Amino acid sequence: MRALALALVSLSAACTPAAEIERQMEEASREGCLEAGFAETSDAWKLCLLLQDSNRRLEAMERRLLWLESDIRFHDRPWYGYRR
């Protein structure tokens, strides 16, 4: 269910204002923590939200690093059309 919520957030991100995207991401985090069984007033609830936010940021960094790695590999290959 959490994956479905994140997929819906991702799909709607292309034509949605930033404030709306943030609200949807918070709602997805909230639903994930509720599904995990945390009570909204507990410290564990706050930790769950913090971990989900951290995971979201780590996933974004992984996507960026994968893109950079693929870009470096593309430019690191010799170009066989050029001869001296």
Side-chain angles (χ1 to χ4, degrees):
M1 185 65 162
R2 180 177 172 227
L4 177 63
L6 290 176
L8 290 174
V9 168
S10 299
L11 289 174
S12 65
C15 58
T16 309
E20 181 67 20
I21 293 170
E22 184 66 29
R23 188 193 63 77
Q24 290 174 351
M25 290 171 55
E26 288 174 4
E27 183 65 28
S29 295
R30 183 180 175 278
E31 288 177 15
C33 290
L34 286 175
E35 287 178 8
F38 294 105
E40 289 189 47
T41 57
S42 68
D43 288 336
W45 167 266
K46 295 174 187 175
L47 180 61
C48 178
L49 292 176
L50 180 65
L51 287 173
Q52 288 197 5
D53 184 53
S54 297
N55 287 340
R56 192 177 309 117
R57 290 173 189 239
L58 285 172
E59 289 170 359
M61 290 302 296
E62 286 176 352
R63 283 191 304 270
R64 289 178 187 166
L65 288 173
L66 284 173
W67 183 84
L68 287 172
E69 183 180 353
S70 67
D71 191 45
I72 288 170
R73 285 185 180 175
F74 175 77
H75 292 295
D76 195 30
R77 289 183 284 180
W79 186 52
Y80 295 109
Y82 177 74
R83 296 180 188 217
R84 287 187 173 185

